[in-house]
Amino acid sequence: MILTGTLINTGSIIVGGLAGGLAGRLIKEDTQDMLSKVCGVSTMFIAISGAMEGMLKIEEGGLVSGQGMFIILCLVLGTLLGEILNLEKGFERFGEWLKQKTGNARDTRFVDAFVTASLTVCIGAMAIVGSIQDGILGDYSTLAVKSVLDFIIILVMTSSLGRGAAFSAIPVFLLEGGMTLLARLIAPVFTDEAIAGISLVGSILIFCVGINLVWGKKVRVANMLPALIFAVALAYVM
């Protein structure tokens, strides 16, 4: 069935959010704060692992780093475009709308939880590769694996940040569902080099999400999202 992977992933986030909401009621506030920081540290190490995989290679028996100029160009150009479009504000407005419509008007952390969780589970090569595989081959195995990871991430985030994290299911459904339906059109664009570029730049963006979880909102990560578009474009040039 078409969109099977997207539905599994969306469902796992919803279930993780429900479980996290129940767990959050049993956990003291200072413990929730600590869980949020632990989640941030874990996110940063996962991101570092992904970034190093794209930057390091073995050459003549030693480790060699690269892709520095690629990263700088993607992040600078992407952030410049994102700041002009002010994507972060758009995310926040959508979060505020959701907060009102879902009866969470008194939840002061709702918007931050929604934006942080959405960026964490939407950015990355697994979402893109999995959606294309599901759309063209009917193979939803990659999205199924991602669903397990997202379940754990959203469970922890909901228990520590609040119910807004569970609503990250909406952008995940729209992003993965849209790419699955358009898979045959977008597949030629996402070459191996382009996917590697997205994975590298996406890992750096996820690292910034981790920074915000540990030290408070320091980086407007949503405004950096266009860097992923430049990662695809520059993959053909560099």
Side-chain angles (χ1 to χ4, degrees), residues 66-122:
Q67 299 285 55
M69 184 57 67
F70 176 81
I71 292 170
I72 292 170
L73 286 173
C74 288
L75 293 180
V76 170
L77 295 174
T79 302
L80 181 61
L81 179 58
E83 286 287 324
I84 292 171
L85 298 175
N86 203 358
L87 298 178
E88 186 89 13
K89 193 66 176 178
F91 261 93
E92 290 175 353
R93 284 175 180 169
F94 183 57
E96 286 287 352
W97 180 82
L98 275 178
K99 183 170 82 169
Q100 299 297 327
K101 294 297 181 181
T102 56
N104 291 289
R106 295 182 179 180
D107 187 353
T108 57
R109 300 186 301 170
F110 185 94
V111 175
D112 282 342
F114 168 73
V115 173
T116 300
S118 296
L119 292 171
T120 304
V121 296
C122 284

Side-chain angles (χ1 to χ4, degrees), residues 40-216:
V41 172
S42 302
T43 299
M44 285 192 286
F45 272 94
I46 292 171
I48 290 170
S49 173
M52 291 300 98
E53 186 177 343
M55 294 181 69
L56 300 178
K57 62 180 179 179
I58 297 176
E59 194 172 282
E60 297 180 358
L63 276 177
V64 179
S65 64
Q67 299 285 55
M69 184 57 67
F70 176 81
I71 292 170
I72 292 170
L73 286 173
C74 288
L75 293 180
V76 170
L77 295 174
T79 302
L80 181 61
L81 179 58
E83 286 287 324
I84 292 171
L85 298 175
N86 203 358
L87 298 178
E88 186 89 13
K89 193 66 176 178
F91 261 93
E92 290 175 353
R93 284 175 180 169
F94 183 57
E96 286 287 352
W97 180 82
L98 275 178
K99 183 170 82 169
Q100 299 297 327
K101 294 297 181 181
T102 56
N104 291 289
R106 295 182 179 180
D107 187 353
T108 57
R109 300 186 301 170
F110 185 94
V111 175
D112 282 342
F114 168 73
V115 173
T116 300
S118 296
L119 292 171
T120 304
V121 296
C122 284
I123 300 172
M126 287 185 80
I128 295 170
V129 175
S131 298
I132 292 175
Q133 288 175 336
D134 193 12
I136 296 178
L137 305 174
D139 178 8
Y140 55 85
S141 58
T142 300
L143 290 182
V145 173
K146 181 177 180 291
S147 298
V148 176
L149 300 174
D150 288 352
F151 169 81
I152 298 170
I153 290 169
I154 297 302
L155 190 156
V156 176
M157 283 192 170
T158 305
S159 64
S160 59
L161 300 177
R163 280 177 279 181
F167 288 88
S168 59
I170 296 174
V172 165
F173 177 80
L174 295 176
L175 175 69
E176 294 180 357
M179 287 194 295
T180 298
L181 294 175
L182 297 172
R184 294 185 185 278
L185 293 176
I186 64 177
V189 177
F190 291 102
T191 60
D192 290 342
E193 291 78 11
I195 291 173
I198 287 175
S199 181
L200 174 56
V201 174
S203 293
I204 295 171
L205 299 191
I206 292 173
F207 181 84
C208 294
V209 172
I211 290 175
N212 288 345
L213 283 169
V214 176
W215 290 288

